[in-house]
Amino acid sequence: MQAVRARLATLDAERALLPLLEDQDFMVLSEQQLATENIRSEIFLVHGASENIQKLQKQPPAKINQSFTKIILVMEEGQSFDFPALRQLRIDHFIFRSDLSSGFLNTVWQELRQKEQDETYLSLSSELNQQYETLKKELEAKLSEKSKNIIESRKQIFEINNRVEVLRKSLYSTTEVKSLAEAEASLNDLLVKFGMITWFKILRHDEFEKFDADIKQQFDSTTYSSKITIGDELFHLYFFKGDKRVFRKNDTNYFNKLTEALEINLNRYNNLLSLQKNERLFDLAFHSSPHPIIIIDKGYNVYQANLAAEKHSEEGENLKCHQLLFGSNKPCPGCHLGTRFEIQKDIKTYAVQSNKFSNSLDTENNYWIHLYEDISEQKALETKFQQTAKLSEVGLISSSIAHELNNPLGGILSYLQIMKMELPNTHPFQQDIEVLTEAALRMKKHIEDLLFFSRKEDVIKLEKVNLTDIFEKNLDLLQMQLKKEHLVVSFTQEQPLLHEISVLHFRNLIHLVFQFLLHKLRLKRQNKSNFSGVVEVKISQDPGNSYLSFNSNLGPHDLRMNSNDLSLITLEKSVLDQGFQLVITEPQPGWMQVLIKLPNKY
């Protein structure tokens, strides 16, 4: 049924109230309408007459309360009521008729509006509270689930962080260890501390099977092993857990990564040790070489040099090879990169071996390694060997010439003696004969010397001779060479000194000593071109031996520098072959003494 609505309603018996309601939205109800129709009104004015009260009492209270929001009872002054009857009705306001006005009604309507708003707010608040409670329960459920997820996530994050920390520390530990024993001790402390294992051991391959069988027989526990190769040897990493819980996949993955890292780092360390050893050996060989070794680029710039090369110059770095070794501003004449060649610097000759090599640190440029070997002594030896060959030929020729001249010279001397005897002493030819005889005797003496030095003595023939006379004869033969080389010899021995010796070998010995001294003089002149040599010779004896001493200003004597000296080698061999003794000393700075001891008996 459609509801009949109005802001204000009254019964038809109360038309006396209509003048007050002219400006209001109202409706007048009959008793039948009140009973049958669906009425909705905010204010219901009821006159306090008894018949109106009776009409209302006939209606069900629920319908009255449902139809009207507020019921106002309008009373006349001095009117009496049956209050027990009024208790059945829900009267909201009691007002005298004289007090009834539009303002009063507006006030009631405002109260109604306020009540409606309050009810609306209350209803909305109740609805919101229900929604809030529902939302609260949903949020609490989600929060609880979220908290569980967060706790689980935190546990996972903690486990991950813990695993990452273990991995980080173990990887760092593997980079610090230098042996398998150190690795075993370090990883034992680390893995046990984090509760991943009970203990850890590294085993050789030949020990692993027996050890694994013994562990499984004695303990009902969880184990895991992995293989590691260090150099050419195979080892096993053994992870032991003191309970029956199997290792998780993350644990075995970690063990495999740890094995791989340990293998890489130990092999790297071993390779580094080998590389450092090889580098030290290379540096030792490179810098201990007596020959200059340098590495240069195509512009002759020195990339690296050994100590033998660096001592040639004190100018510092960024030098070219010719500046470092020879102090020259131009490349050496005859220099050919990548080949073997010789270069001449002053009186020295160097053999240079140039080889190209690749530098892994600089692949864009080419480099060459040069080995400089001083072959001046070798060149001098070659020259001496050539000279010796020539002298050998000259000896043969001089021997032949001496034999050819010796026979006619004997005849010449005989005829000169015959002529001298046949002519009177006052004959004018006597003086010429004397001059010719002296010249022939000098020639005979030189021929005998030539025959003496060209003679070969297979068996040593000992003769008791005056050492002073033999030395003076040799000195006479060497005078021209000594003057040419500016070597002054001082010998003032007057007392004859007899010694049983091979004259040929002794004269050869004297010759070799002077050849050695002349060689030392030439070496001196490499640094001092105007240097003059002085040699003081003394021959002395004691009851058991004779001594031949040569004291000269040709020192010092360096055994390392003279190891390839042919003159010294020849002299030493000659002395030793004859059973003599040779001693070279430095009596004072810059001087050298060659002392030869001649035993009385060989």
Side-chain angles (χ1 to χ4, degrees), residues 190-234:
L190 181 66
L191 299 181
V192 172
K193 176 181 177 181
F194 281 92
M196 298 188 68
I197 59 172
T198 304
W199 51 261
F200 167 78
K201 191 170 182 62
I202 301 178
L203 300 164
R204 293 183 178 275
H205 179 65
D206 54 357
E207 303 171 344
F208 174 72
E209 291 186 2
K210 184 177 182 305
F211 181 84
D212 184 52
D214 291 342
I215 289 296
K216 291 180 177 178
Q217 182 178 1
Q218 297 179 23
F219 301 98
D220 187 12
S221 302
T222 303
T223 61
Y224 182 80
S225 64
S226 58
K227 297 179 180 179
I228 181 174
T229 303
I230 307 298
D232 297 330
E233 294 188 62
L234 179 63

Side-chain angles (χ1 to χ4, degrees), residues 119-182:
E119 290 176 353
T120 302
Y121 291 151
L122 182 61
S123 175
L124 182 59
S125 176
S126 176
E127 184 179 353
L128 290 176
N129 285 335
Q130 291 179 356
Q131 293 178 358
Y132 168 76
E133 292 296 330
T134 303
L135 185 60
K136 179 181 176 183
K137 291 179 180 179
E138 292 178 357
L139 290 176
E140 287 177 349
K142 291 181 179 180
L143 183 60
S144 176
E145 183 179 359
K146 191 71 174 180
S147 299
K148 292 180 181 179
N149 293 335
I150 290 174
I151 293 173
E152 186 66 26
S153 299
R154 286 180 177 176
K155 289 177 62 177
Q156 294 178 359
I157 291 173
F158 176 77
E159 292 179 359
I160 292 173
N161 290 337
N162 190 46
R163 194 175 297 111
V164 170
E165 182 68 11
V166 174
L167 182 60
R168 185 186 67 81
K169 289 189 175 181
S170 57
L171 290 178
Y172 175 76
S173 177
T174 57
T175 60
E176 294 296 312
V177 297
K178 299 178 181 178
S179 64
L180 290 173
E182 290 184 14

Side-chain angles (χ1 to χ4, degrees), residues 292-305:
I293 303 175
I294 60 175
I295 300 174
I296 62 173
D297 58 14
K298 61 182 179 180
Y300 303 102
N301 297 302
V302 177
Y303 183 76
Q304 190 173 357

Side-chain angles (χ1 to χ4, degrees), residues 75 97 143 165 180 248 281 299 401 407 439 531 552 602:
M75 302 179 297
R97 183 173 180 181
L143 183 60
E165 182 68 11
L180 290 173
R248 294 177 299 177
L281 291 175
I401 294 174
N407 293 330
F531 184 81
S552 68
Y602 284 77

